[in-house]
Amino acid sequence: MNRNRLYDAAFAFRALKLWDKLADDQIFAIQMKDQICYISITGMLGEHYSLGVYPGQEGIDSLWRIYQMSAVSESEEMAAFFGRSALICAFVPRDELEPESLAVLSPYLKARGMSIRGKKALWPQILRCRPYREFVYAYGEADAETMTEALEAACWLSGNSGRPIDTLAHLSEHDQTLPLLRREGDSWKIENMPMPPEPDISYPIGHTFNEMYTARVRKLEKTGSWACKIRLDPVLRGADGIEEKVLPWMLLTVDLDTGREIPVQPVRDYETRTEVMLDKMMEAMFRENVCPKAFCVYDERTFSLLEDWSAEMGIALSMEEEIPEELEKLEDFADAKAYMGEEDSMQFMEEMLDLMLLLPDQELFLNQPELAEYIAHFRELQLHPDTPESIRAKVSEILERYDKFQSRQQSGAGKAGKSTGKKSKGKKGKKTTVPEKSLVISVSLDTGCYRHIRISDQALLEDLSLAILRAFNFDND
């Protein structure tokens, strides 16, 4: 395959800026050797500039899914987006290029005497999208040939369709037709084909084949209600036996009686392996040593997973409208990890835990209106299988201090006596307590590398030194 022809087509397409004229559900099709490929162009909203090739029935179904799920929920729309089977020519800033893309583009630009200038300039790169997998650079000859045909067809259609290209029918216009382009030498022939029908919305039905697990669950005490919701984890993770990273599915679960999270291990490819997701749910029950009397769910996806299995196990299942606050917080936390990136969010959490460990017990545990919520969350982190060991250790240290502090309070030791603050004389020689204060100290190691450290105003310089070393992950040597 002539890569020069591919990038000639990519830069010609970029120059046309068809994303200013077409919505992403205004599609056309091209006839390849063995199947029809559907073409969608994105970028009308000023981001994610691309041309996507969706091959065959699987491709058009994944396009339909994105359109359908946009009306259901943000999490379902995200799942549909990452569940695509497609070949994408994305136009991105230089710092978002894969190294393989840059290695191919540099000699092309040099041979053509071209240069791309400016931080906002868009560079083409070809990516392969597989459902719930990391997007990867597409380097195969077949992918290059398919994308070249698609880009050339889009360029040709923009000036030869016989009508303005922005009048292409939308997916939702069931009674309309869309252009089907067939290659004829150096040109194309246009035919009209019916708009592909909208598929039914369906979700995987849960099945389990683990008789040993189900027998153990039947013996557990049934009590309380659990709120559950399945959603895609927006953070890429490594997986055994798979080269690229994957986006696993989470079954977010909360005990409605206590408001506590019930950690359920994420599962990759749950849509084809519902039995694994149900196994992980039963493992959570074994850890809790209890089985709920009832499940409350809030969407069709979770209902489909649990319907047959809960009936078999004698667990009530109800569809509710209002999502409990505790479950919403779990979703918000998952979204925050995706926004910050898992590494950044874990670093931020470690820094916050370091600050908490520096505080004396009185300041850490007294007069804190959200203390119970924090402690409950820390206990969940302590038990959660995905919690990094460094965070688990710090959370465990805080919980140990909290349990000892509570024990002292209950025995009366913390009621009146000893103050950790300084004593000073007030009127008539009476001793009064000067409350302990916290200081926030900013420490910079280099440009862009700094930490904010919170420490008691009565801490020693040695305490500050150790806090700084800990914040920057240095050893005390």
Side-chain angles (χ1 to χ4, degrees), residues 349-350 352-358 361 364-365 371 374-375 378-379 382 391-405 470:
M349 183 177 291
E350 287 212 52
M352 292 300 100
L353 292 170
D354 286 337
L355 291 177
M356 295 179 74
L357 286 168
L358 293 172
D361 289 353
L364 187 57
F365 301 128
L371 177 63
Y374 282 129
I375 294 300
F378 287 163
R379 295 200 191 280
Q382 189 181 38
I391 290 180
R392 193 191 312 277
K394 292 172 184 177
V395 164
S396 298
E397 185 178 343
I398 291 174
L399 290 174
E400 183 180 357
R401 283 176 54 185
Y402 173 74
D403 291 338
K404 290 180 179 178
F405 180 79
R470 193 173 191 176

PDB file of all heavy atoms in Angstrom, residues 349-350 352-358 361 364-365 371 374-375 378-379 382 391-405 470:
ATOM      1  N   MET A 349      -4.673  11.339  46.241  1.00  0.00           N
ATOM      2  CA  MET A 349      -5.185  10.688  47.436  1.00  0.00           C
ATOM      3  C   MET A 349      -4.062  10.423  48.442  1.00  0.00           C
ATOM      4  O   MET A 349      -4.235  10.634  49.652  1.00  0.00           O
ATOM      5  CB  MET A 349      -5.876   9.372  47.066  1.00  0.00           C
ATOM      6  CG  MET A 349      -6.505   8.664  48.252  1.00  0.00           C
ATOM      7  SD  MET A 349      -7.377   7.165  47.783  1.00  0.00           S
ATOM      8  CE  MET A 349      -8.742   7.881  46.875  1.00  0.00           C
ATOM      9  N   GLU A 350      -2.908   9.982  47.943  1.00  0.00           N
ATOM     10  CA  GLU A 350      -1.783   9.730  48.844  1.00  0.00           C
ATOM     11  C   GLU A 350      -1.348  11.009  49.542  1.00  0.00           C
ATOM     12  O   GLU A 350      -1.019  11.001  50.735  1.00  0.00           O
ATOM     13  CB  GLU A 350      -0.618   9.113  48.073  1.00  0.00           C
ATOM     14  CG  GLU A 350      -0.853   7.666  47.685  1.00  0.00           C
ATOM     15  CD  GLU A 350       0.433   6.854  47.649  1.00  0.00           C
ATOM     16  OE1 GLU A 350       1.168   6.875  48.646  1.00  0.00           O
ATOM     17  OE2 GLU A 350       0.685   6.225  46.617  1.00  0.00           O
ATOM     18  N   MET A 352      -3.222  13.593  50.276  1.00  0.00           N
ATOM     19  CA  MET A 352      -4.218  13.923  51.297  1.00  0.00           C
ATOM     20  C   MET A 352      -4.067  13.037  52.534  1.00  0.00           C
ATOM     21  O   MET A 352      -4.176  13.497  53.677  1.00  0.00           O
ATOM     22  CB  MET A 352      -5.633  13.767  50.723  1.00  0.00           C
ATOM     23  CG  MET A 352      -6.000  14.778  49.649  1.00  0.00           C
ATOM     24  SD  MET A 352      -5.908  16.505  50.252  1.00  0.00           S
ATOM     25  CE  MET A 352      -4.311  17.020  49.587  1.00  0.00           C
ATOM     26  N   LEU A 353      -3.783  11.751  52.305  1.00  0.00           N
ATOM     27  CA  LEU A 353      -3.581  10.847  53.438  1.00  0.00           C
ATOM     28  C   LEU A 353      -2.335  11.229  54.230  1.00  0.00           C
ATOM     29  O   LEU A 353      -2.319  11.155  55.470  1.00  0.00           O
ATOM     30  CB  LEU A 353      -3.477   9.403  52.942  1.00  0.00           C
ATOM     31  CG  LEU A 353      -4.764   8.805  52.366  1.00  0.00           C
ATOM     32  CD1 LEU A 353      -4.474   7.468  51.693  1.00  0.00           C
ATOM     33  CD2 LEU A 353      -5.819   8.635  53.448  1.00  0.00           C
ATOM     34  N   ASP A 354      -1.278  11.647  53.530  1.00  0.00           N
ATOM     35  CA  ASP A 354      -0.061  12.094  54.214  1.00  0.00           C
ATOM     36  C   ASP A 354      -0.356  13.288  55.128  1.00  0.00           C
ATOM     37  O   ASP A 354       0.136  13.367  56.264  1.00  0.00           O
ATOM     38  CB  ASP A 354       1.015  12.471  53.192  1.00  0.00           C
ATOM     39  CG  ASP A 354       1.637  11.256  52.528  1.00  0.00           C
ATOM     40  OD1 ASP A 354       1.573  10.163  53.121  1.00  0.00           O
ATOM     41  OD2 ASP A 354       2.167  11.408  51.417  1.00  0.00           O
ATOM     42  N   LEU A 355      -1.154  14.229  54.634  1.00  0.00           N
ATOM     43  CA  LEU A 355      -1.513  15.391  55.448  1.00  0.00           C
ATOM     44  C   LEU A 355      -2.312  14.969  56.680  1.00  0.00           C
ATOM     45  O   LEU A 355      -2.085  15.470  57.790  1.00  0.00           O
ATOM     46  CB  LEU A 355      -2.332  16.377  54.614  1.00  0.00           C
ATOM     47  CG  LEU A 355      -1.599  17.103  53.489  1.00  0.00           C
ATOM     48  CD1 LEU A 355      -2.575  17.983  52.719  1.00  0.00           C
ATOM     49  CD2 LEU A 355      -0.464  17.958  54.052  1.00  0.00           C
ATOM     50  N   MET A 356      -3.234  14.046  56.499  1.00  0.00           N
ATOM     51  CA  MET A 356      -4.056  13.589  57.619  1.00  0.00           C
ATOM     52  C   MET A 356      -3.205  12.893  58.679  1.00  0.00           C
ATOM     53  O   MET A 356      -3.440  13.059  59.883  1.00  0.00           O
ATOM     54  CB  MET A 356      -5.153  12.647  57.112  1.00  0.00           C
ATOM     55  CG  MET A 356      -6.169  13.321  56.206  1.00  0.00           C
ATOM     56  SD  MET A 356      -7.435  12.201  55.578  1.00  0.00           S
ATOM     57  CE  MET A 356      -8.426  11.985  57.063  1.00  0.00           C
ATOM     58  N   LEU A 357      -2.222  12.137  58.237  1.00  0.00           N
ATOM     59  CA  LEU A 357      -1.380  11.414  59.191  1.00  0.00           C
ATOM     60  C   LEU A 357      -0.528  12.348  60.038  1.00  0.00           C
ATOM     61  O   LEU A 357      -0.080  11.979  61.126  1.00  0.00           O
ATOM     62  CB  LEU A 357      -0.486  10.417  58.448  1.00  0.00           C
ATOM     63  CG  LEU A 357      -1.203   9.169  57.911  1.00  0.00           C
ATOM     64  CD1 LEU A 357      -0.309   8.408  56.946  1.00  0.00           C
ATOM     65  CD2 LEU A 357      -1.629   8.271  59.066  1.00  0.00           C
ATOM     66  N   LEU A 358      -0.297  13.564  59.560  1.00  0.00           N
ATOM     67  CA  LEU A 358       0.500  14.527  60.312  1.00  0.00           C
ATOM     68  C   LEU A 358      -0.294  15.200  61.429  1.00  0.00           C
ATOM     69  O   LEU A 358       0.279  15.767  62.357  1.00  0.00           O
ATOM     70  CB  LEU A 358       1.059  15.599  59.371  1.00  0.00           C
ATOM     71  CG  LEU A 358       2.106  15.126  58.358  1.00  0.00           C
ATOM     72  CD1 LEU A 358       2.413  16.239  57.378  1.00  0.00           C
ATOM     73  CD2 LEU A 358       3.374  14.680  59.065  1.00  0.00           C
ATOM     74  N   ASP A 361      -4.558  13.506  66.889  1.00  0.00           N
ATOM     75  CA  ASP A 361      -5.863  12.856  66.933  1.00  0.00           C
ATOM     76  C   ASP A 361      -6.997  13.831  67.207  1.00  0.00           C
ATOM     77  O   ASP A 361      -8.075  13.734  66.604  1.00  0.00           O
ATOM     78  CB  ASP A 361      -5.868  11.761  68.008  1.00  0.00           C
ATOM     79  CG  ASP A 361      -5.026  10.563  67.592  1.00  0.00           C
ATOM     80  OD1 ASP A 361      -4.569  10.552  66.433  1.00  0.00           O
ATOM     81  OD2 ASP A 361      -4.818   9.655  68.428  1.00  0.00           O
ATOM     82  N   LEU A 364      -7.817  15.649  64.085  1.00  0.00           N
ATOM     83  CA  LEU A 364      -8.226  14.765  62.994  1.00  0.00           C
ATOM     84  C   LEU A 364      -9.625  14.191  63.220  1.00  0.00           C
ATOM     85  O   LEU A 364     -10.399  14.043  62.269  1.00  0.00           O
ATOM     86  CB  LEU A 364      -7.217  13.621  62.861  1.00  0.00           C
ATOM     87  CG  LEU A 364      -7.367  12.667  61.667  1.00  0.00           C
ATOM     88  CD1 LEU A 364      -7.333  13.424  60.347  1.00  0.00           C
ATOM     89  CD2 LEU A 364      -6.252  11.621  61.700  1.00  0.00           C
ATOM     90  N   PHE A 365      -9.976  13.923  64.488  1.00  0.00           N
ATOM     91  CA  PHE A 365     -11.195  13.172  64.750  1.00  0.00           C
ATOM     92  C   PHE A 365     -12.279  13.940  65.511  1.00  0.00           C
ATOM     93  O   PHE A 365     -13.416  13.467  65.581  1.00  0.00           O
ATOM     94  CB  PHE A 365     -10.864  11.894  65.537  1.00  0.00           C
ATOM     95  CG  PHE A 365      -9.896  10.981  64.833  1.00  0.00           C
ATOM     96  CD1 PHE A 365      -8.759  10.513  65.471  1.00  0.00           C
ATOM     97  CD2 PHE A 365     -10.124  10.595  63.517  1.00  0.00           C
ATOM     98  CE1 PHE A 365      -7.867   9.670  64.822  1.00  0.00           C
ATOM     99  CE2 PHE A 365      -9.237   9.754  62.852  1.00  0.00           C
ATOM    100  CZ  PHE A 365      -8.103   9.291  63.509  1.00  0.00           C
ATOM    101  N   LEU A 371     -16.962  13.155  59.494  1.00  0.00           N
ATOM    102  CA  LEU A 371     -16.034  12.117  59.939  1.00  0.00           C
ATOM    103  C   LEU A 371     -16.561  10.708  59.652  1.00  0.00           C
ATOM    104  O   LEU A 371     -15.838   9.850  59.149  1.00  0.00           O
ATOM    105  CB  LEU A 371     -15.758  12.284  61.437  1.00  0.00           C
ATOM    106  CG  LEU A 371     -14.851  11.203  62.058  1.00  0.00           C
ATOM    107  CD1 LEU A 371     -13.463  11.239  61.422  1.00  0.00           C
ATOM    108  CD2 LEU A 371     -14.760  11.378  63.569  1.00  0.00           C
ATOM    109  N   TYR A 374     -16.131   9.765  56.069  1.00  0.00           N
ATOM    110  CA  TYR A 374     -14.732   9.509  55.713  1.00  0.00           C
ATOM    111  C   TYR A 374     -14.283   8.138  56.237  1.00  0.00           C
ATOM    112  O   TYR A 374     -13.639   7.365  55.526  1.00  0.00           O
ATOM    113  CB  TYR A 374     -13.821  10.597  56.290  1.00  0.00           C
ATOM    114  CG  TYR A 374     -13.844  11.887  55.523  1.00  0.00           C
ATOM    115  CD1 TYR A 374     -14.064  13.105  56.169  1.00  0.00           C
ATOM    116  CD2 TYR A 374     -13.635  11.906  54.148  1.00  0.00           C
ATOM    117  CE1 TYR A 374     -14.097  14.294  55.466  1.00  0.00           C
ATOM    118  CE2 TYR A 374     -13.657  13.096  53.437  1.00  0.00           C
ATOM    119  CZ  TYR A 374     -13.892  14.286  54.102  1.00  0.00           C
ATOM    120  OH  TYR A 374     -13.914  15.451  53.400  1.00  0.00           O
ATOM    121  N   ILE A 375     -14.629   7.852  57.483  1.00  0.00           N
ATOM    122  CA  ILE A 375     -14.201   6.583  58.073  1.00  0.00           C
ATOM    123  C   ILE A 375     -14.821   5.410  57.316  1.00  0.00           C
ATOM    124  O   ILE A 375     -14.148   4.405  57.046  1.00  0.00           O
ATOM    125  CB  ILE A 375     -14.578   6.527  59.574  1.00  0.00           C
ATOM    126  CG1 ILE A 375     -13.772   7.584  60.357  1.00  0.00           C
ATOM    127  CG2 ILE A 375     -14.331   5.138  60.141  1.00  0.00           C
ATOM    128  CD1 ILE A 375     -12.262   7.402  60.281  1.00  0.00           C
ATOM    129  N   PHE A 378     -12.923   4.997  54.143  1.00  0.00           N
ATOM    130  CA  PHE A 378     -11.597   4.415  54.371  1.00  0.00           C
ATOM    131  C   PHE A 378     -11.695   2.908  54.623  1.00  0.00           C
ATOM    132  O   PHE A 378     -10.847   2.139  54.177  1.00  0.00           O
ATOM    133  CB  PHE A 378     -10.915   5.097  55.562  1.00  0.00           C
ATOM    134  CG  PHE A 378     -10.435   6.493  55.265  1.00  0.00           C
ATOM    135  CD1 PHE A 378     -10.111   7.369  56.289  1.00  0.00           C
ATOM    136  CD2 PHE A 378     -10.305   6.936  53.951  1.00  0.00           C
ATOM    137  CE1 PHE A 378      -9.669   8.657  56.021  1.00  0.00           C
ATOM    138  CE2 PHE A 378      -9.864   8.220  53.668  1.00  0.00           C
ATOM    139  CZ  PHE A 378      -9.546   9.078  54.701  1.00  0.00           C
ATOM    140  N   ARG A 379     -12.742   2.483  55.321  1.00  0.00           N
ATOM    141  CA  ARG A 379     -12.899   1.046  55.549  1.00  0.00           C
ATOM    142  C   ARG A 379     -13.165   0.313  54.231  1.00  0.00           C
ATOM    143  O   ARG A 379     -12.719  -0.820  54.029  1.00  0.00           O
ATOM    144  CB  ARG A 379     -14.024   0.791  56.551  1.00  0.00           C
ATOM    145  CG  ARG A 379     -13.718   1.336  57.946  1.00  0.00           C
ATOM    146  CD  ARG A 379     -14.582   0.679  59.013  1.00  0.00           C
ATOM    147  NE  ARG A 379     -14.453   1.386  60.297  1.00  0.00           N
ATOM    148  CZ  ARG A 379     -13.440   1.228  61.145  1.00  0.00           C
ATOM    149  NH1 ARG A 379     -12.444   0.412  60.841  1.00  0.00           N
ATOM    150  NH2 ARG A 379     -13.422   1.899  62.291  1.00  0.00           N
ATOM    151  N   GLN A 382      -9.884   0.038  52.464  1.00  0.00           N
ATOM    152  CA  GLN A 382      -9.046  -0.966  53.115  1.00  0.00           C
ATOM    153  C   GLN A 382      -9.376  -2.370  52.606  1.00  0.00           C
ATOM    154  O   GLN A 382      -8.488  -3.214  52.441  1.00  0.00           O
ATOM    155  CB  GLN A 382      -9.254  -0.883  54.631  1.00  0.00           C
ATOM    156  CG  GLN A 382      -8.280  -1.731  55.438  1.00  0.00           C
ATOM    157  CD  GLN A 382      -8.559  -1.609  56.928  1.00  0.00           C
ATOM    158  OE1 GLN A 382      -9.726  -1.543  57.354  1.00  0.00           O
ATOM    159  NE2 GLN A 382      -7.512  -1.550  57.731  1.00  0.00           N
ATOM    160  N   ILE A 391      -1.628   3.011  49.507  1.00  0.00           N
ATOM    161  CA  ILE A 391      -2.808   3.703  50.037  1.00  0.00           C
ATOM    162  C   ILE A 391      -3.469   2.862  51.120  1.00  0.00           C
ATOM    163  O   ILE A 391      -3.910   3.382  52.155  1.00  0.00           O
ATOM    164  CB  ILE A 391      -3.792   4.026  48.900  1.00  0.00           C
ATOM    165  CG1 ILE A 391      -3.202   5.122  48.005  1.00  0.00           C
ATOM    166  CG2 ILE A 391      -5.153   4.449  49.439  1.00  0.00           C
ATOM    167  CD1 ILE A 391      -4.070   5.523  46.843  1.00  0.00           C
ATOM    168  N   ARG A 392      -3.527   1.550  50.910  1.00  0.00           N
ATOM    169  CA  ARG A 392      -4.131   0.672  51.913  1.00  0.00           C
ATOM    170  C   ARG A 392      -3.399   0.792  53.265  1.00  0.00           C
ATOM    171  O   ARG A 392      -4.016   0.822  54.329  1.00  0.00           O
ATOM    172  CB  ARG A 392      -4.113  -0.778  51.423  1.00  0.00           C
ATOM    173  CG  ARG A 392      -5.003  -1.713  52.254  1.00  0.00           C
ATOM    174  CD  ARG A 392      -4.763  -3.182  51.904  1.00  0.00           C
ATOM    175  NE  ARG A 392      -4.754  -3.424  50.491  1.00  0.00           N
ATOM    176  CZ  ARG A 392      -5.837  -3.604  49.753  1.00  0.00           C
ATOM    177  NH1 ARG A 392      -7.024  -3.546  50.324  1.00  0.00           N
ATOM    178  NH2 ARG A 392      -5.737  -3.849  48.453  1.00  0.00           N
ATOM    179  N   ALA A 393      -2.060   0.886  53.206  1.00  0.00           N
ATOM    180  CA  ALA A 393      -1.276   0.974  54.437  1.00  0.00           C
ATOM    181  C   ALA A 393      -1.577   2.272  55.192  1.00  0.00           C
ATOM    182  O   ALA A 393      -1.725   2.278  56.425  1.00  0.00           O
ATOM    183  CB  ALA A 393       0.217   0.884  54.114  1.00  0.00           C
ATOM    184  N   LYS A 394      -1.683   3.390  54.461  1.00  0.00           N
ATOM    185  CA  LYS A 394      -1.941   4.676  55.115  1.00  0.00           C
ATOM    186  C   LYS A 394      -3.366   4.738  55.664  1.00  0.00           C
ATOM    187  O   LYS A 394      -3.602   5.264  56.758  1.00  0.00           O
ATOM    188  CB  LYS A 394      -1.682   5.810  54.126  1.00  0.00           C
ATOM    189  CG  LYS A 394      -0.208   5.933  53.762  1.00  0.00           C
ATOM    190  CD  LYS A 394       0.037   6.933  52.641  1.00  0.00           C
ATOM    191  CE  LYS A 394       1.524   6.946  52.261  1.00  0.00           C
ATOM    192  NZ  LYS A 394       1.834   7.844  51.142  1.00  0.00           N
ATOM    193  N   VAL A 395      -4.317   4.204  54.898  1.00  0.00           N
ATOM    194  CA  VAL A 395      -5.698   4.156  55.378  1.00  0.00           C
ATOM    195  C   VAL A 395      -5.794   3.296  56.627  1.00  0.00           C
ATOM    196  O   VAL A 395      -6.481   3.646  57.603  1.00  0.00           O
ATOM    197  CB  VAL A 395      -6.614   3.611  54.256  1.00  0.00           C
ATOM    198  CG1 VAL A 395      -7.954   3.181  54.824  1.00  0.00           C
ATOM    199  CG2 VAL A 395      -6.823   4.671  53.172  1.00  0.00           C
ATOM    200  N   SER A 396      -5.092   2.174  56.623  1.00  0.00           N
ATOM    201  CA  SER A 396      -5.115   1.286  57.787  1.00  0.00           C
ATOM    202  C   SER A 396      -4.544   1.980  59.019  1.00  0.00           C
ATOM    203  O   SER A 396      -5.044   1.799  60.145  1.00  0.00           O
ATOM    204  CB  SER A 396      -4.326   0.005  57.492  1.00  0.00           C
ATOM    205  OG  SER A 396      -4.910  -0.716  56.424  1.00  0.00           O
ATOM    206  N   GLU A 397      -3.494   2.784  58.824  1.00  0.00           N
ATOM    207  CA  GLU A 397      -2.902   3.512  59.944  1.00  0.00           C
ATOM    208  C   GLU A 397      -3.884   4.521  60.519  1.00  0.00           C
ATOM    209  O   GLU A 397      -4.012   4.667  61.745  1.00  0.00           O
ATOM    210  CB  GLU A 397      -1.620   4.212  59.482  1.00  0.00           C
ATOM    211  CG  GLU A 397      -0.862   4.899  60.604  1.00  0.00           C
ATOM    212  CD  GLU A 397       0.430   5.542  60.137  1.00  0.00           C
ATOM    213  OE1 GLU A 397       0.906   5.202  59.026  1.00  0.00           O
ATOM    214  OE2 GLU A 397       0.966   6.400  60.874  1.00  0.00           O
ATOM    215  N   ILE A 398      -4.609   5.226  59.647  1.00  0.00           N
ATOM    216  CA  ILE A 398      -5.607   6.191  60.120  1.00  0.00           C
ATOM    217  C   ILE A 398      -6.731   5.479  60.860  1.00  0.00           C
ATOM    218  O   ILE A 398      -7.181   5.926  61.929  1.00  0.00           O
ATOM    219  CB  ILE A 398      -6.169   7.004  58.929  1.00  0.00           C
ATOM    220  CG1 ILE A 398      -5.091   7.939  58.371  1.00  0.00           C
ATOM    221  CG2 ILE A 398      -7.394   7.816  59.350  1.00  0.00           C
ATOM    222  CD1 ILE A 398      -5.498   8.672  57.112  1.00  0.00           C
ATOM    223  N   LEU A 399      -7.193   4.349  60.321  1.00  0.00           N
ATOM    224  CA  LEU A 399      -8.282   3.615  60.973  1.00  0.00           C
ATOM    225  C   LEU A 399      -7.852   3.068  62.323  1.00  0.00           C
ATOM    226  O   LEU A 399      -8.643   3.056  63.281  1.00  0.00           O
ATOM    227  CB  LEU A 399      -8.747   2.482  60.058  1.00  0.00           C
ATOM    228  CG  LEU A 399      -9.497   2.915  58.792  1.00  0.00           C
ATOM    229  CD1 LEU A 399      -9.785   1.719  57.896  1.00  0.00           C
ATOM    230  CD2 LEU A 399     -10.804   3.630  59.151  1.00  0.00           C
ATOM    231  N   GLU A 400      -6.601   2.620  62.425  1.00  0.00           N
ATOM    232  CA  GLU A 400      -6.099   2.120  63.697  1.00  0.00           C
ATOM    233  C   GLU A 400      -6.077   3.243  64.738  1.00  0.00           C
ATOM    234  O   GLU A 400      -6.486   3.057  65.897  1.00  0.00           O
ATOM    235  CB  GLU A 400      -4.702   1.530  63.515  1.00  0.00           C
ATOM    236  CG  GLU A 400      -4.124   0.922  64.783  1.00  0.00           C
ATOM    237  CD  GLU A 400      -2.738   0.332  64.580  1.00  0.00           C
ATOM    238  OE1 GLU A 400      -2.245   0.357  63.418  1.00  0.00           O
ATOM    239  OE2 GLU A 400      -2.138  -0.130  65.561  1.00  0.00           O
ATOM    240  N   ARG A 401      -5.604   4.418  64.314  1.00  0.00           N
ATOM    241  CA  ARG A 401      -5.604   5.563  65.225  1.00  0.00           C
ATOM    242  C   ARG A 401      -7.026   5.940  65.629  1.00  0.00           C
ATOM    243  O   ARG A 401      -7.289   6.272  66.789  1.00  0.00           O
ATOM    244  CB  ARG A 401      -4.920   6.757  64.560  1.00  0.00           C
ATOM    245  CG  ARG A 401      -3.409   6.668  64.546  1.00  0.00           C
ATOM    246  CD  ARG A 401      -2.802   7.839  63.785  1.00  0.00           C
ATOM    247  NE  ARG A 401      -3.256   9.132  64.287  1.00  0.00           N
ATOM    248  CZ  ARG A 401      -2.934  10.300  63.724  1.00  0.00           C
ATOM    249  NH1 ARG A 401      -2.133  10.310  62.652  1.00  0.00           N
ATOM    250  NH2 ARG A 401      -3.373  11.424  64.225  1.00  0.00           N
ATOM    251  N   TYR A 402      -7.945   5.890  64.663  1.00  0.00           N
ATOM    252  CA  TYR A 402      -9.342   6.249  64.940  1.00  0.00           C
ATOM    253  C   TYR A 402      -9.961   5.288  65.961  1.00  0.00           C
ATOM    254  O   TYR A 402     -10.630   5.720  66.915  1.00  0.00           O
ATOM    255  CB  TYR A 402     -10.153   6.235  63.657  1.00  0.00           C
ATOM    256  CG  TYR A 402     -11.636   6.421  63.869  1.00  0.00           C
ATOM    257  CD1 TYR A 402     -12.156   7.670  64.203  1.00  0.00           C
ATOM    258  CD2 TYR A 402     -12.515   5.340  63.772  1.00  0.00           C
ATOM    259  CE1 TYR A 402     -13.517   7.841  64.409  1.00  0.00           C
ATOM    260  CE2 TYR A 402     -13.866   5.501  63.978  1.00  0.00           C
ATOM    261  CZ  TYR A 402     -14.363   6.758  64.295  1.00  0.00           C
ATOM    262  OH  TYR A 402     -15.705   6.924  64.506  1.00  0.00           O
ATOM    263  N   ASP A 403      -9.730   3.997  65.785  1.00  0.00           N
ATOM    264  CA  ASP A 403     -10.308   3.001  66.700  1.00  0.00           C
ATOM    265  C   ASP A 403      -9.762   3.196  68.122  1.00  0.00           C
ATOM    266  O   ASP A 403     -10.513   3.103  69.102  1.00  0.00           O
ATOM    267  CB  ASP A 403     -10.009   1.589  66.201  1.00  0.00           C
ATOM    268  CG  ASP A 403     -10.769   1.256  64.916  1.00  0.00           C
ATOM    269  OD1 ASP A 403     -11.800   1.911  64.664  1.00  0.00           O
ATOM    270  OD2 ASP A 403     -10.332   0.354  64.175  1.00  0.00           O
ATOM    271  N   LYS A 404      -8.469   3.478  68.232  1.00  0.00           N
ATOM    272  CA  LYS A 404      -7.885   3.711  69.554  1.00  0.00           C
ATOM    273  C   LYS A 404      -8.438   4.995  70.168  1.00  0.00           C
ATOM    274  O   LYS A 404      -8.704   5.054  71.378  1.00  0.00           O
ATOM    275  CB  LYS A 404      -6.366   3.790  69.447  1.00  0.00           C
ATOM    276  CG  LYS A 404      -5.701   2.455  69.137  1.00  0.00           C
ATOM    277  CD  LYS A 404      -4.190   2.602  69.035  1.00  0.00           C
ATOM    278  CE  LYS A 404      -3.525   1.264  68.746  1.00  0.00           C
ATOM    279  NZ  LYS A 404      -2.043   1.399  68.598  1.00  0.00           N
ATOM    280  N   PHE A 405      -8.598   6.030  69.344  1.00  0.00           N
ATOM    281  CA  PHE A 405      -9.133   7.300  69.824  1.00  0.00           C
ATOM    282  C   PHE A 405     -10.562   7.114  70.329  1.00  0.00           C
ATOM    283  O   PHE A 405     -10.934   7.623  71.400  1.00  0.00           O
ATOM    284  CB  PHE A 405      -9.095   8.336  68.703  1.00  0.00           C
ATOM    285  CG  PHE A 405      -9.618   9.683  69.085  1.00  0.00           C
ATOM    286  CD1 PHE A 405      -8.833  10.570  69.808  1.00  0.00           C
ATOM    287  CD2 PHE A 405     -10.901  10.062  68.739  1.00  0.00           C
ATOM    288  CE1 PHE A 405      -9.312  11.815  70.170  1.00  0.00           C
ATOM    289  CE2 PHE A 405     -11.401  11.308  69.091  1.00  0.00           C
ATOM    290  CZ  PHE A 405     -10.597  12.183  69.808  1.00  0.00           C
ATOM    291  N   ARG A 470       8.471  12.438  52.961  1.00  0.00           N
ATOM    292  CA  ARG A 470       7.368  11.529  52.645  1.00  0.00           C
ATOM    293  C   ARG A 470       6.556  12.039  51.461  1.00  0.00           C
ATOM    294  O   ARG A 470       6.131  11.274  50.584  1.00  0.00           O
ATOM    295  CB  ARG A 470       6.484  11.387  53.880  1.00  0.00           C
ATOM    296  CG  ARG A 470       5.488  10.252  53.811  1.00  0.00           C
ATOM    297  CD  ARG A 470       4.811  10.116  55.152  1.00  0.00           C
ATOM    298  NE  ARG A 470       4.038   8.916  55.238  1.00  0.00           N
ATOM    299  CZ  ARG A 470       3.397   8.498  56.334  1.00  0.00           C
ATOM    300  NH1 ARG A 470       3.489   9.236  57.443  1.00  0.00           N
ATOM    301  NH2 ARG A 470       2.701   7.395  56.345  1.00  0.00           N
TER     302      ARG A 470
END
